[in-house]
């Protein structure tokens, strides 16, 4: 395998982690080591690994059929539940992975509005496809001025960026100025409502409301990329958590308990451009029945047991965030812990807050990579850049053990 892994997201400073099995909040690697897992498949395992209801639903569906290339009743039920749970969702189309759903949203926005340009924010990730992989984690030497960032490709082999406007996040003045400069041309403004691919950065109070107002004023659609935040922060996603409704949203990861399902959802008037055939949307494995069975089982739990599920997620998140802050203070290492709770980020920095990509780029990411390696050696698995995901399978004892290991790892780095 190229690089020994099947996705660049799995590259680490040391040897790639090869997993034998997973259950609840734990992974077992091929050498028999056990890890308390805060990666959770990059977020999908919201209910922990192999939740019994999802395993049962998937096993039953495999015996009934794996792929149909036809409609089936379960996808209609999942679409109905998703529309009932998500504030802005009136119509749904399913995909397999988040990059596909995000790509579909951009195409739909252009097709619906007849406008060519998409405005995206620096530091935000919307998949690895060519049109969108710009200015995610660019070198600040290449990124251009703070108020007018350049579109920096994320990889060799990408064509030049066309019809793409890059904007700093959490800066309404910059957004207003850029939308005025490109008036009548911007089909959509696309944002992660909580920036989870660059830390776990929440919007400033009133920021997303201001983005919504600017989109309405300019006739541009607002797209929320909820691939990570969807169903993790609330049953209705970040849009419920933050009280702002977009025109289109994309979901994935946590919606199917670990199976590969994503969705594009939004206002009927916009989605009907797909219904009519004006905007093309296809895929052999869209609404694949095994994945949809997992989504149906997962969303039923998240919807019908919402108080228990989200109460647990936020309680464990607060407990772990507080414990990590106290551990860093005890060791004397300057560290910031920020985020909603069910997902959060640790940063090595003296800054009081991280509000955008350039703040994130100023943190000590080399130190974070060393911490990741030290934790992995001690049986704790977090996302290498410092992101932590919680699940309902994590216990108070897991969190307490993690804090103790974290303090020991920090001391080893401070002394090293």
């Amino acid at each position: 395998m190229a690089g020994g892994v099947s996705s660049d997201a799995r590259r680490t400073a040391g040897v790639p982690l090869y997993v034998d099995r997973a259950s609840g909040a734990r992974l077992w690697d091929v050498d028999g080591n056990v890890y308390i897992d805060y990666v959770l498949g990059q977020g999908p395992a919201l209910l922990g690994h192999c939740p019994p209801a999802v395993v049962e639903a998937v096993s039953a569906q495999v015996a009934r059929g794996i792929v149909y290339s036809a409609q089936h009743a379960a996808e209609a039920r999942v679409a109905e539940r998703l529309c009932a749970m998500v504030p802005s969702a009136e119509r749904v189309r399913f995909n397999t992975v988040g990059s596909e759903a995000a790509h579909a949203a951009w195409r739909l926005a252009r097709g619906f509005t007849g406008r060519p340009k998409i405005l995206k924010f620096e530091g935000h990730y919307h998949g690895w496809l060519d049109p969108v992989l710009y200015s995610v984690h660019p070198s600040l030497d290449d990124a251009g001025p703070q108020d007018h960032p350049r579109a920096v490709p994320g990889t060799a082999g990408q064509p030049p960026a066309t019809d793409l406007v890059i904007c700093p996040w959490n800066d309404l003045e910059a957004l207003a100025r850029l939308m005025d400069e490109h008036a009548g041309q911007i089909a959509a403004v696309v944002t992660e409502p909580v920036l989870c691919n660059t830390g776990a950065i929440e919007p400033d109070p009133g920021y997303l409301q201001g983005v919504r107002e600017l989109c309405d004023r300019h006739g541009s659609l607002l797209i929320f990329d909820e691939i990570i935040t969807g169903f993790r922060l609330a049953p209705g996603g970040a849009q419920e958590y933050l009280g702002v409704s977009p025109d289109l949203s994309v979901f994935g990861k946590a919606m199917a308990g670990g199976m590969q399902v994503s969705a594009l959802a939004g206002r009927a008037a916009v989605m009907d451009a797909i219904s009519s055939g004006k905007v093309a949307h296809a895929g052999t494995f869209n609404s694949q029945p095994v994945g949809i069975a997992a989504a149906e089982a997962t969303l039923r739990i998240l919807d019908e047991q919402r108080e228990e599920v989200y109460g647990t997620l936020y309680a464990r998140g607060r407990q772990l965030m507080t414990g990590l802050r106290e551990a860093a203070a005890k060791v004397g290492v300057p560290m910031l812990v920020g985020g909603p709770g069910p997902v959060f980020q640790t940063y090595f920095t003296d800054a009081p807050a991280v509000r955008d990509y350039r703040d994130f780029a100023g943190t000590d990411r080399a130190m974070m990579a060393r911490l990741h390696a030290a934790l992995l050696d001690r049986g704790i698995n977090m996302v290498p850049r410092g992101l932590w995901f919680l699940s309902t399978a994590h216990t108070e004892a897991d969190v307490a053990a993690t804090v103790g290991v974290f303090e020991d790892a920090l001391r080893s780095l401070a002394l090293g």
Side-chain angles (χ1 to χ4, degrees):
M1 293 186 293
V5 296
S6 294
S7 170
D8 283 349
R10 299 172 201 161
R11 291 183 187 274
T12 63
V15 177
L17 179 62
Y18 273 69
V19 174
D20 176 64
R21 62 189 175 93
S23 179
R26 280 168 171 72
L27 300 174
W28 287 259
D29 72 14
V30 294
D31 298 312
N33 300 304
V34 185
Y35 306 86
I36 302 177
D37 186 27
Y38 295 96
V39 177
L40 300 176
Q42 297 288 338
L46 185 68
L47 302 175
H49 294 287
C50 301
V54 175
V55 171
E56 182 180 351
V58 167
S59 299
Q61 181 56 52
V62 167
R64 295 171 58 86
I66 295 173
V67 64
Y68 298 147
S69 190
Q71 303 309 117
H72 52 100
E75 67 183 305
R77 294 194 298 268
V78 172
E80 288 173 349
R81 190 179 289 272
L82 191 152
C83 287
M85 293 172 70
V86 175
S88 68
E90 296 175 344
R91 299 280 191 277
V92 180
R93 272 291 181 102
F94 293 107
N95 281 109
T96 305
V97 296
S99 292
E100 289 181 290
H103 188 70
W106 288 36
R107 173 186 288 176
L108 176 56
R110 288 181 166 125
F112 176 77
T113 64
R115 297 176 175 183
K117 296 184 178 181
I118 300 290
L119 185 148
K120 78 169 289 284
F121 295 95
E122 198 173 50
H124 292 228
Y125 176 77
H126 305 295
W128 70 284
L129 303 181
D130 279 352
V132 304
L133 191 63
Y134 285 90
S135 297
V136 178
H137 292 154
S139 161
L140 295 186
D141 292 336
D142 299 327
Q146 170 83 27
D147 58 345
H148 278 78
R150 297 191 187 101
V152 181
T155 177
Q158 275 183 272
T162 58
D163 294 329
L164 193 61
V165 179
I166 308 297
C167 183
W169 201 56
N170 260 337
D171 186 340
L172 274 179
E173 289 185 5
L175 177 61
R177 182 170 56 252
L178 285 167
M179 293 190 79
D180 283 340
E181 290 177 10
H182 299 272
Q185 300 178 70
I186 295 176
V189 172
V190 185
T191 183
E192 294 182 62
V194 174
L195 179 46
C196 295
N197 283 289
T198 297
I201 307 172
E202 298 192 72
D204 290 344
Y207 174 71
L208 288 180
Q209 288 82 354
V211 176
R212 173 76 271 178
E213 291 169 6
L214 284 169
C215 286
D216 291 340
R217 185 187 310 164
H218 284 269
S220 303
L221 299 182
L222 176 59
I223 301 174
F224 276 5
D225 186 332
E226 294 228 44
I227 297 297
I228 291 179
T229 58
F231 310 108
R232 174 162 285 281
L233 301 187
Q239 55 199 267
E240 176 187 338
Y241 173 75
L242 296 166
V244 179
S245 285
D247 299 292
L248 294 172
S249 307
V250 293
F251 299 94
K253 295 192 185 289
M255 73 176 289
M259 289 296 289
Q260 55 274 55
V261 178
S262 64
L264 166 63
R267 293 196 291 113
V270 181
M271 294 292 292
D272 282 349
I274 290 177
S275 304
S276 68
K278 178 181 178 180
V279 174
H281 176 265
T284 296
F285 294 103
N286 292 357
S287 71
Q288 188 255 11
V290 179
I292 289 293
E296 183 170 25
T298 301
L299 293 181
R300 181 186 298 117
I301 293 170
L302 301 184
D303 190 11
E304 297 178 1
Q305 301 176 33
R306 57 180 60 200
E307 291 186 10
E308 178 184 352
V309 167
Y310 293 97
T312 297
L313 287 171
Y314 278 92
R316 295 292 180 273
R318 286 191 298 268
Q319 180 189 359
L320 184 54
M321 291 171 75
T322 298
L324 299 187
R325 285 191 193 102
E326 291 174 349
K330 197 180 297 184
V331 176
V333 174
M335 191 182 78
L336 178 67
V337 183
V343 57
F344 67 87
Q345 174 83 18
T346 46
Y347 313 86
F348 288 117
T349 179
D350 291 315
V354 173
R355 296 181 58 253
D356 60 18
Y357 168 67
R358 299 200 185 202
D359 287 348
F360 173 81
T363 65
D364 191 340
R365 289 182 283 174
M367 177 74 162
M368 188 57 64
R370 292 195 295 273
L371 175 64
H372 168 258
L375 288 173
L376 200 62
D377 285 344
R378 291 164 171 79
I380 302 296
N381 187 36
M382 68 165 185
V383 179
R385 65 180 182 272
L387 194 68
W388 301 70
F389 290 104
L390 273 294
S391 78
T392 57
H394 286 99
T395 65
E396 291 186 4
D398 290 334
V399 171
T402 300
V403 170
V405 171
F406 188 89
E407 182 178 334
D408 178 66
L410 275 185
R411 287 191 188 281
S412 73
L413 294 178
L415 294 173

